[in-house]
Amino acid sequence: MTLVMGAVAYDPKVVTIWGGFRAWLRARDLDFDFVLYSQYERQVEDLVAGRIAAAWNSPLAWVRAERLARARERALTPLVMRDTDQDLTSVVVVRADSPYKEPADLKGETVGVGAVDSPQATLIPGAYLRSAGLRPGEDVRIRRFDVGVGLHGDHVGGERDAARALMDGEVAAACMIDGNHLAFGQEGTLPPGGTRIIGRTPAYDHCNMTVGAAGEDERRRFEELLLSMSYADPEVRPLLDLEGLTAWRPGRTEGYALLDAAVDEAGFYDAEGAVTAAEYAP
């Protein structure tokens, strides 16, 4: 039985990554294949319906998949995740020469965020601002940068545009994942020493390999092989680099509580996984 996995084609490198992993897995006697999706919502629906056995899911896709599956009395498992998916944070960034010292200082100002469906640059930071006493749309104006809607923030263009707007003086602060704050400095989008962090969210987890309808033998073998991938293996190392990890780790669910609560606060999905965000059209 072929284990068919879904992946969202947020970048051309996705074909290279999973084409390479496919060859590596099949060489080790796992009958594996993958299909590509243009957005996460259809991938999640196909996973829960059993049309694919596994899905390389964003954190927001996991939240929806888990809600859809629970409503249909079906079980999903977060099989594995990257070592770089665990214990991440998002930050509220201001220009180094600005007067703002903490999130409360932004009252009455404009904050730049990523795409409407970005967990790390919109949903989780929105919940963080609310916890700091700043109601988005009321105490602070939100300027959203809707790049790659449907890709759940995997296309970081929205975060990058928010960072540019910050440096251009169009927003008082910008929200982004901590890793992208560093990356934007390295690539020149943010000048060295040109920004300060005035707020940081609690830690959360990112993507996971969600498994649904796979047979027990295929699921066990898939997990075993992914966890066995070694960064020292010259065949697989370039693929791991492209996917942004050095090792696969066992999946876990506790790192999604922050996003789950943010989804409820924003009214993004309902309890049964229906899309309820008014301005979301992937």
Side-chain angles (χ1 to χ4, degrees):
M1 177 181 175
T2 303
L3 191 153
V4 179
M5 184 208 76
V8 170
Y10 68 90
D11 186 277
K13 71 179 181 179
V14 173
V15 178
T16 303
I17 292 166
W18 287 104
F21 284 159
R22 176 182 183 271
W24 191 89
L25 292 165
R26 290 174 69 89
R28 287 153 182 81
D29 298 322
L30 178 67
D31 190 3
F32 173 85
D33 208 348
F34 68 97
V35 294
L36 297 179
Y37 289 82
S38 63
Q39 39 103 341
Y40 277 104
E41 307 310 327
R42 189 177 301 280
Q43 174 172 291
V44 165
E45 290 161 7
D46 281 0
L47 173 67
V48 175
R51 288 185 283 270
I52 54 176
W56 183 221
N57 271 339
S58 76
L60 187 60
W62 161 257
V63 168
R64 186 181 183 215
E66 196 275 333
R67 293 182 183 206
L68 282 172
R70 185 174 62 239
R72 291 156 178 76
E73 297 184 343
R74 296 177 183 174
L76 296 177
T77 301
L79 196 69
V80 298
M81 53 203 327
R82 298 170 298 186
D83 53 349
T84 50
D85 281 318
Q86 299 181 337
D87 300 319
L88 308 178
T89 60
S90 292
V91 291
V92 182
V93 178
V94 299
R95 292 183 299 280
D97 59 358
S98 77
Y100 313 111
K101 303 298 183 185
E102 57 185 31
D105 297 337
L106 295 171
K107 187 172 184 177
E109 300 292 350
T110 300
V111 177
V113 300
V116 62
D117 58 338
S118 173
Q120 68 255 18
T122 303
L123 292 167
I124 290 174
Y128 174 73
L129 292 175
R130 282 188 286 271
S131 73
L134 298 173
R135 293 163 296 180
E138 297 181 37
D139 300 310
V140 289
R141 294 179 295 275
I142 298 297
R143 182 174 174 189
R144 224 172 52 222
F145 292 86
D146 279 331
V147 177
V149 174
L151 303 179
H152 291 186
D154 283 350
H155 188 299
V156 302
E159 281 172 83
R160 186 176 284 110
D161 285 352
R164 288 172 175 151
L166 173 67
M167 298 317 300
D168 289 343
E170 298 172 12
V171 297
C175 299
M176 61 198 75
I177 199 168
D178 193 21
N180 281 340
H181 180 231
L182 295 173
F184 295 159
Q186 292 168 350
E187 72 186 22
T189 297
L190 296 175
T195 61
R196 287 186 289 108
I197 294 173
I198 64 167
R200 184 182 298 273
T201 70
Y204 58 87
D205 286 351
H206 212 262
C207 301
N208 76 60
M209 180 67 70
T210 310
V211 176
E216 186 60 32
D217 289 344
E218 290 82 6
R219 178 189 310 206
R220 188 181 300 111
R221 184 62 176 154
F222 190 32
E223 179 182 25
E224 177 186 87
L225 286 172
L226 289 175
L227 292 175
S228 76
M229 284 184 177
S230 171
Y231 197 64
D233 180 348
E235 180 183 356
V236 81
R237 181 170 181 164
L239 304 173
L240 297 175
D241 283 338
L242 282 174
E243 189 53 58
L245 73 155
T246 59
W248 294 99
R249 300 288 185 231
R252 64 187 191 184
T253 60
E254 57 267 28
Y256 297 111
L258 197 67
L259 179 58
D260 202 51
V263 164
D264 285 336
E265 288 182 26
F268 201 89
Y269 300 132
D270 70 12
E272 296 186 346
V275 177
T276 50
E279 297 181 309
Y280 180 44

